[in-house]
Amino acid sequence: MHRFRNDPTLAVPVFPGSHIATDGHYIFLCGLTVTDIQGGEAVLGDIAEETRWVMRRLTRMLEYAGASMADVVRVDIHLTNLDTIHTMDAAYAEFFEEKRYPARTCTESLRLSGGSNVEITLVARQPENSDG
């Protein structure tokens, strides 16, 4: 059965969507930018810190859904400037066990919500003991 929930620590989405959707097998987290996070605007312009802020929040969202970053199988990243990919990659890699990185796509998107420079979306395998 599909479940749709919102992270209680984030503002309710202003778009017609949910923060978290589960289907009994996978956990789908919505795309997230620092401007979606209270206080995140303070790090706008620093791609490494924007990435860390978003990844920390996605980690908490997964925990709320009963999973962890070790369960992530797919990540989509949008950068406003693809030239910053190496800086973003260094911060991103901090959240995964070395050589156990999920499948990933990274594209350049000239304009992201709220003036953010990175947006990250992920999919995780739902652990068997999780109610999602």
Side-chain angles (χ1 to χ4, degrees):
M1 172 186 279
H2 293 84
R3 291 185 64 195
F4 304 95
R5 298 187 286 172
N6 289 318
D7 181 326
T9 66
L10 290 174
V12 174
V14 295
F15 56 88
S18 300
H19 293 135
I20 303 166
T22 58
D23 68 358
H25 302 285
Y26 291 93
I27 300 166
F28 303 87
L29 299 188
C30 69
L32 199 62
T33 69
V34 293
T35 57
D36 296 319
I37 303 167
Q38 179 72 26
E41 296 86 357
V43 299
L44 276 175
D46 181 333
I47 195 67
E49 281 307 303
E50 283 191 42
T51 301
R52 286 184 189 102
W53 272 62
V54 170
M55 292 298 289
R56 281 192 294 265
R57 181 50 60 116
L58 291 171
T59 298
R60 285 193 289 265
M61 289 170 71
L62 279 176
E63 290 168 356
Y64 176 70
S68 73
M69 292 304 276
D71 299 307
V72 175
V73 295
R74 171 100 180 124
V75 178
D76 291 305
I77 301 173
H78 303 280
L79 296 171
T80 57
N81 181 352
L82 206 50
D83 292 339
T84 63
I85 193 169
H86 299 299
T87 304
M88 183 280 301
D89 278 342
Y92 168 86
E94 296 170 11
F95 292 85
F96 298 100
E97 183 181 328
E98 189 173 350
K99 300 192 189 232
R100 290 189 46 91
Y101 302 112
R104 189 182 96 180
T105 299
C106 187
T107 62
E108 184 173 80
S109 300
L110 296 178
R111 188 169 172 222
L112 296 176
S113 177
S116 295
N117 296 290
V118 61
E119 180 172 6
I120 304 173
T121 305
L122 60 80
V123 177
R125 180 82 171 140
Q126 190 167 330
E128 290 183 29
N129 60 351
S130 168
D131 66 2

